[in-house]
Amino acid sequence: MALEDKVNEILGIDTPGKKEEKEFKPPVARVEEKAKDDVDNDHKNSREYYYNLIDQGQEAIAGILEVAKEGQHPRAYEVALAGIKNVADTVDKLQDLNKKLKDLKELPKTADTKIQNALFVGSTAELQKMLKKDEDTKSKVINTKHRDISDK
């Protein structure tokens, strides 16, 4: 084994048993804070998942690039570029998430509280009574005008 280790060292090849193991990161645990509302909890969890996806994507890209450099095959580089694009898209989604939360929180502050075009506020029964009164008054006005014209 010592000879094999020396040959591997000269050639720059990792020894099969001596690979460094990376620290295992568990998936992001979902934590809900009862004091915050659902929007804030969802935003926090979504951010954590996006960050986790970005980290995993960067690790995958690093591994793919190693394979591409060793093999010098165009398909390996194509796969690496696709991975880079996917990570970039995830970063864009993270930015969109933050923008949407900002817009959502600003909406109540910028909403107009005045209602200018309210024609009627009430029940349908009240609306029918009001319309009936309008019809009665209009018919009286028409009848009085008709009498005035016929009397002259």
Side-chain angles (χ1 to χ4, degrees):
M1 285 265 193
L3 178 63
E4 189 175 308
D5 290 338
K6 287 182 182 180
V7 170
N8 286 342
E9 184 180 332
I10 293 170
L11 294 175
I13 299 173
D14 291 333
T15 316
K18 292 187 178 179
K19 279 196 173 181
E20 295 178 17
E21 291 188 25
K22 293 185 179 181
E23 181 181 326
F24 174 73
K25 293 180 183 178
V28 179
R30 184 169 186 217
V31 178
E32 285 191 26
E33 296 178 22
K34 297 296 180 187
K36 292 185 177 182
D37 55 348
D38 289 338
V39 174
D40 290 333
N41 282 329
D42 291 344
H43 178 259
K44 182 179 177 185
N45 289 328
S46 297
R47 276 188 62 188
E48 289 175 3
Y49 286 124
Y50 278 133
Y51 280 126
N52 192 18
L53 287 172
I54 291 168
D55 289 342
Q56 289 178 354
Q58 288 175 339
E59 288 177 20
I61 289 169
I64 292 169
L65 284 175
E66 273 186 42
V67 170
K69 286 177 185 176
E70 289 176 11
Q72 296 292 319
H73 196 273
R75 176 68 182 144
Y77 283 106
E78 186 180 342
V79 171
L81 290 174
I84 291 170
K85 183 185 180 311
N86 286 337
V87 170
D89 290 344
T90 305
V91 171
D92 285 343
K93 288 179 183 179
L94 179 63
Q95 290 174 343
D96 288 342
L97 177 73
N98 289 329
K99 184 179 183 298
K100 286 177 184 176
L101 179 71
K102 181 181 173 188
D103 292 345
L104 187 64
K105 286 192 173 192
E106 286 180 1
L107 182 65
K109 295 177 187 174
T110 60
D112 189 15
T113 56
K114 294 181 183 178
I115 299 174
Q116 296 178 353
N117 296 330
L119 300 175
F120 178 75
V121 178
S123 68
T124 54
E126 292 171 344
L127 178 63
Q128 288 176 340
K129 287 178 186 175
M130 185 180 77
L131 291 175
K132 185 167 172 117
K133 284 181 185 177
D134 275 353
E135 288 178 8
D136 291 342
T137 55
K138 284 182 183 178
S139 64
K140 287 180 184 177
V141 170
I142 291 173
N143 288 339
T144 56
K145 284 184 180 179
H146 182 62
R147 284 186 199 142
D148 291 340
I149 294 172
S150 62
D151 291 340
K152 291 184 181 178

